Amino acid sequence: ALAQNIQRNLLPEKRTEFPGVTMTTEYIPCDELGGDIAGAFRIDETRIAVYGGDVCGHGIYAAMVMSYVKKLIETSVKRILLNRQYVVKPPGAVLTAINRSFIAEINQGDPEIYLTLFLGVLDAETLRFEFSSAGTHVPPLVVSGGKVRELFDRSDYAIGHVPDHEFETLRTTFSRGDGLLFVSDGVTEASRDGRLYGMDMLKSEVVRIVADTGSIDLGELIGSLRRHLGGEAPQDDMCLLGLRMNGWSPPAEGQAAPAGQRGPDVDVR
């Protein structure tokens, strides 16, 4: 019961509407409780944070560590009042702070205890996307104009491996109608008879599904994974998160912005 409650608290709703952005998620557990996580939350009227990660290992310990990391993410992504203007703390700076906290409070210098983590901040109005990656094995996929590309070709050190490491913030800009897909390595490593699902199959299936449905339909992708497994149980958790850029519109005059969770504001004047 404890394990199920921890896992339930880690997972977001299957579909969440943000201003200008739709998030969908799917999760297929393996036999053991895992440490996979993915989600998003609203920072302010136009910006949302999106994240996905995996703690090494399985069981209650991995799930409890990821529960701690989830809270750390939600409290670390802040709006900062700088020179009388609110800016959002860059994802690289957030991962740097999480790395320090993780080493001090969780692994205490043991490199066998680590975390892979992807974090991005999307401005739904401009579709500008800032992101940083710590040891992410499977780069998120960008779907644009019916084509698929990897968001980045290399990832930084995993969280917990290098004390005082400064993580880099990278930037890109999406177009209306684009999609972003994050999957855990349990997806690409799904195996039957020694044959991996793999990144190439993931890309080709995403292209097919987008052509057939007009979007990154995670239900269709789960169906593809189950067919590949042929009824066998997955050996690792499979966590999937998709974003669709719908186009942002300001609230009508006199209408409040949509409600939602917001990160804390910090005044650093």
Side-chain angles (χ1 to χ4, degrees):
L2 174 61
Q4 292 175 343
N5 287 336
I6 293 172
Q7 194 73 65
R8 191 178 302 115
N9 290 333
L10 285 174
L11 300 175
E13 297 293 328
K14 285 198 169 187
R15 183 183 180 94
T16 305
E17 295 290 344
F18 297 100
V21 178
T22 300
M23 177 185 76
T24 54
T25 63
E26 289 285 350
Y27 178 75
I28 302 177
C30 65
D31 292 337
E32 293 184 88
L33 183 66
D36 283 12
I37 190 174
F41 58 92
R42 191 166 69 93
I43 302 170
D44 58 19
E45 285 71 18
T46 66
R47 287 172 288 197
I48 67 170
V50 57
Y51 59 89
D54 186 9
V55 171
C56 64
H58 294 88
I60 289 285
Y61 177 77
M64 290 183 68
V65 169
M66 193 51 89
S67 181
Y68 160 85
V69 170
K70 180 176 183 286
K71 286 296 183 184
L72 201 56
I73 294 168
E74 292 171 350
T75 56
S76 297
V77 180
K78 304 172 182 177
R79 295 199 316 171
I80 301 171
L81 186 59
L82 185 64
N83 297 326
R84 299 185 179 182
Q85 182 178 2
Y86 277 114
V87 298
V88 175
K89 194 172 183 181
V94 174
L95 291 193
T96 297
I98 289 175
N99 184 56
R100 289 172 181 161
S101 296
F102 188 87
I103 289 174
E105 300 177 26
I106 300 297
N107 80 352
Q108 299 181 350
D110 182 354
E112 297 299 314
I113 302 173
Y114 62 90
L115 159 72
T116 62
L117 184 60
F118 169 78
L119 174 66
V121 173
L122 173 68
D123 188 319
E125 183 177 13
T126 65
L127 295 182
R128 186 172 175 81
F129 188 58
E130 296 188 336
F131 60 94
S132 188
S133 175
T136 305
H137 297 170
V138 184
L141 298 180
V142 178
V143 182
S144 181
K147 298 180 180 179
V148 174
R149 64 176 175 86
E150 297 177 13
L151 181 63
F152 52 79
D153 57 10
R154 60 180 177 83
S155 186
D156 215 326
Y157 296 110
I159 298 292
H161 275 174
V162 182
D164 298 323
H165 180 65
E166 299 285 338
F167 288 86
E168 183 181 9
T169 295
L170 303 174
R171 296 168 179 84
T172 191
T173 301
F174 297 124
S175 298
R176 183 170 181 166
D178 285 357
L180 181 71
L181 173 66
F182 169 86
V183 303
S184 64
D185 56 7
V187 170
T188 54
E189 294 175 3
S191 175
R192 183 180 66 175
D193 299 328
R195 186 168 62 93
L196 296 177
Y197 193 79
M199 182 61 96
D200 289 343
M201 184 178 291
L202 175 63
K203 289 179 179 178
S204 64
E205 285 294 270
V206 168
V207 169
R208 178 188 64 80
I209 290 167
V210 170
D212 289 347
T213 68
S215 66
I216 306 173
D217 187 323
L218 296 188
E220 288 287 326
L221 191 52
I222 290 293
S224 171
L225 283 161
R226 291 194 186 280
R227 288 191 296 273
H228 177 77
L229 289 170
E232 295 184 13
Q235 299 301 306
D236 196 2
D237 295 337
M238 298 183 192
C239 192
L240 304 89
L241 180 148
L243 293 183
R244 178 178 171 82
M245 322 305 166
N246 301 320
W248 185 85
S249 299
E253 187 174 350
Q255 178 183 355
Q261 180 186 8
R262 276 182 45 172
D265 294 339
V266 178
D267 188 342
V268 295
R269 288 175 294 179

